[in-house]
Amino acid sequence: MYPMIISVDEVLRIREIVAEVAAELKREQIPYAIPEQGIMIETPAAVMICEELAELVDFFSIGTNDLTQYVLAVDRGNRRIAAMYDTLHPAVVRAMRLTVDAAHRHGCEVGICGEFAGCAAHAELLVGLGFDELSVAPPSVPAVKERIRGLETPQAELTARRAVEAATASEVHELIGVG
């Protein structure tokens, strides 16, 4: 999985390098298998070209920490503006929806990682948006699994649709019951 992608050219170059290494291994008669190739969706640029990127890779993983920081142009480490950093901001939720939809149109799986995915309160939204995989820290697994088991897919999809249509982060917070 390759991080911080901003262009199709980067992915094409990565694929060339992988092919070169595979050819070298074959020449040297070293057994190999090219693994699935995936990219992190962490930049607004990657979101905006996710249709094209999905044609080139096997999977996406949305990195919520970086994506939120770059979509909102908020340095999460700056205490004076840290309150503006909110993954439930409609712009971030819409970026996730765009990415998941584009990936699925091209047969590309989409996971999500970061602290955001490990919060059980976010599970309904993430399932409703259509994520195929949630990557969470081990201590969060039981609570997230329990929350997902109790979800009704149509309700989760309705929640996600309403979140995408929301005008403010506070509306999204209220919608999913996060204070």
Side-chain angles (χ1 to χ4, degrees):
M1 180 166 45
Y2 308 106
M4 290 293 169
I5 297 299
I6 63 165
S7 73
V8 167
D9 289 335
E10 285 178 300
V11 177
L12 292 173
R13 181 62 186 132
I14 289 166
R15 289 170 54 110
E16 287 174 7
I17 292 168
V18 169
E20 290 168 9
V21 170
E24 184 177 326
L25 291 171
K26 186 175 182 177
R27 276 192 309 274
E28 295 181 21
Q29 299 180 355
I30 298 172
Y32 69 93
I34 297 176
E36 286 193 335
Q37 305 287 304
I39 61 172
M40 294 291 296
I41 302 292
E42 301 165 292
T43 67
V47 172
M48 299 309 294
I49 60 170
C50 59
E51 288 282 349
E52 294 81 1
L53 293 170
E55 294 176 357
L56 300 172
V57 297
D58 301 302
F59 66 92
F60 287 162
S61 182
I62 293 181
T64 55
N65 296 338
D66 288 323
L67 184 63
T68 301
Q69 178 169 315
Y70 297 131
V71 166
L72 300 180
V74 172
D75 178 0
R76 64 185 181 256
N78 183 332
R79 288 182 288 138
R80 292 183 294 198
I81 59 172
M84 296 171 71
Y85 177 91
D86 188 346
T87 304
L88 292 174
H89 187 288
V92 179
V93 174
R94 290 174 192 167
M96 288 189 267
R97 165 52 49 94
L98 287 169
T99 303
V100 169
D101 289 350
H104 287 166
R105 278 192 293 277
H106 295 278
C108 191
E109 290 195 359
V110 188
I112 185 166
C113 60
E115 295 169 25
F116 187 78
C119 177
H122 301 150
E124 182 175 357
L125 174 63
L126 299 177
V127 167
L129 287 171
F131 282 94
D132 300 301
E133 179 181 291
L134 308 181
S135 177
V136 304
S140 301
V141 170
V144 172
K145 282 176 91 171
E146 182 179 335
R147 179 76 171 115
I148 290 172
R149 283 187 186 121
L151 291 176
E152 304 260 344
T153 302
Q155 179 59 46
E157 290 170 347
L158 178 62
T159 298
R161 189 168 48 255
R162 289 180 175 159
V164 167
E165 294 168 354
T168 67
S170 38
E171 286 178 46
V172 180
H173 281 267
E174 187 176 313
L175 182 65
I176 66 169
V178 176

